[in-house]
Amino acid sequence: MSGLAYSLVIPSYELPDELDRTLASIAGQTRLPAAVIVVDSSRDQRVREVAEGWRTRLPVRYERAEIASAAAQRNQGAKLVDAAASPIIGFIDDDIGLYPESCEKVWQVFAVDRQGTIGGVALRIDEVFRPEPKGWIWWYYRLQAGFADRTYGGRLFGPAINCLPCYTEGDSDLIAADWLNSGCVFYRTDLFQRQLFPKFEGYSFMEDVHLSARIAKTHRLYFHKTGRCQHRDGAAMRPREAVRHLARMRIRNQRLVARDVLGLRGPVFESKLLLHRLFATVAILRSRPAAWRDEILGTWT
């Protein structure tokens, strides 16, 4: 088990201060990575300066992005990882902070999986809280999914609706899932290199779903309940035009996940997607209508 090495790939875009804190948290791990690859699409040199400044303390490799896209940058970095030398590969955003034991907890999951049946494990993000669905929300999920589930945590159903865990599911540290998010996620290197993230542009909404749901067809996926990280969300403040663009991107990529991974198309899929857009609009209006009006416009234009 002690020889099971892992490498990390970090796609970055103009968040040098956040990246510096991310690298500091990596340097504080109880089990250090064999390599840290930063793939940068920034317009200036600040991210490069930060990455190279850590070379005396971490095995950091800096690469300029060939394509400015979170998905493409992850794929580019992964190609530099030797699966034989580093059987586990992790992807971490440049505004994520790790606790000292975060990577070791995931490493332990893979280390005891003698049969190699586990394909991926994602850390729990502290700032992301999803309550258990109740009332009309639960019944809406039931309608779209076609099956009953207490929380629908970790499930992928309907027109590619992907629900995060509530972390109240079961007593184990591991929550079985149909998909994984990409804030801080680990895969078997050889398995990932056969699949890769899809060629989604820019911020790449749902690229994590597209990849992980394909891997879930042959291997088990888990969200880790006690393996945690922090998300500082350096890209949280976006102009109105960007919010609309991202909402449109979400719908477009949701179609691709439904078509490519779930095999859905035609009138049944279109009716399920239309229903989900209506549901999303109502949910947005009920929560914070003024702040999210641009997301609603993006969803319908």
Side-chain angles (χ1 to χ4, degrees), residues 20-22 32 51 70 154 167 201 214 216 254 261 275 278 287:
D20 189 55
R21 290 192 287 269
T22 295
L32 291 170
Y167 294 102
E201 66 180 42
R214 282 184 277 127
Q254 188 174 6
V261 182
L275 178 61
L278 289 169
S287 58

Side-chain angles (χ1 to χ4, degrees), residues 58-275:
L58 282 173
V60 175
R61 175 171 177 172
Y62 174 88
E63 294 286 326
R64 282 294 304 169
E66 298 168 358
I67 300 173
S69 156
Q73 287 169 233
R74 294 188 186 104
N75 288 342
Q76 180 182 337
K79 291 177 182 178
L80 302 174
V81 176
D82 181 351
S86 185
I88 306 302
I89 186 169
F91 299 94
I92 178 172
D93 288 349
D94 58 359
D95 53 1
I96 288 286
L98 300 174
Y99 293 98
E101 73 287 353
S102 295
C103 292
E104 177 134 34
K105 286 198 171 188
V106 174
W107 176 88
Q108 289 171 348
V109 175
F110 286 106
V112 299
D113 179 31
R114 303 290 189 180
Q115 303 303 315
T117 61
I118 296 176
V121 180
L123 288 179
R124 176 178 182 173
I125 300 175
D126 283 352
E127 290 77 8
V128 177
F129 172 74
R130 176 178 170 266
E132 292 190 15
K134 304 291 184 182
W136 67 278
I137 296 178
W138 187 90
W139 282 105
Y140 170 72
Y141 287 163
R142 175 68 177 81
L143 174 66
Q144 285 280 22
F147 59 84
D149 189 283
R150 183 169 62 87
T151 69
Y152 292 93
R155 306 305 298 269
L156 177 65
F157 56 89
I161 299 170
N162 56 303
C163 290
L164 285 164
C166 301
Y167 294 102
T168 59
E169 295 90 350
D171 299 323
S172 170
D173 280 350
L174 301 179
I175 300 172
D178 300 330
W179 71 284
L180 299 175
N181 59 1
S182 59
C184 187
V185 63
F186 294 75
Y187 294 103
R188 294 193 178 275
T189 306
D190 59 346
L191 182 59
F192 172 81
Q193 290 176 338
R194 293 197 300 269
Q195 296 287 349
L196 301 178
F197 284 101
K199 295 179 180 179
F200 288 177
E201 66 180 42
Y203 193 77
S204 304
F205 267 130
M206 297 196 76
E207 86 287 1
D208 45 8
V209 183
H210 197 291
L211 165 72
S212 57
R214 282 184 277 127
I215 291 177
K217 292 182 178 182
T218 58
H219 290 72
R220 290 179 290 154
L221 303 179
Y222 294 101
F223 284 95
H224 207 299
K225 190 181 294 185
T226 62
R228 296 160 37 232
C229 63
Q230 298 172 317
H231 186 205
R232 294 181 291 270
D233 199 5
M237 298 303 293
R238 301 187 180 98
R240 294 176 58 179
E241 293 77 9
V243 172
R244 296 186 191 185
H245 172 71
L246 293 175
R248 295 188 191 103
M249 183 186 296
R250 185 193 300 272
I251 292 296
R252 182 174 67 249
N253 293 351
Q254 188 174 6
R255 285 181 180 275
L256 293 175
V257 172
R259 183 196 69 189
D260 299 345
V261 182
L262 302 179
L264 300 178
R265 50 178 53 84
V268 173
F269 166 68
E270 293 297 337
S271 62
K272 283 179 172 287
L273 181 60
L274 175 61
L275 178 61

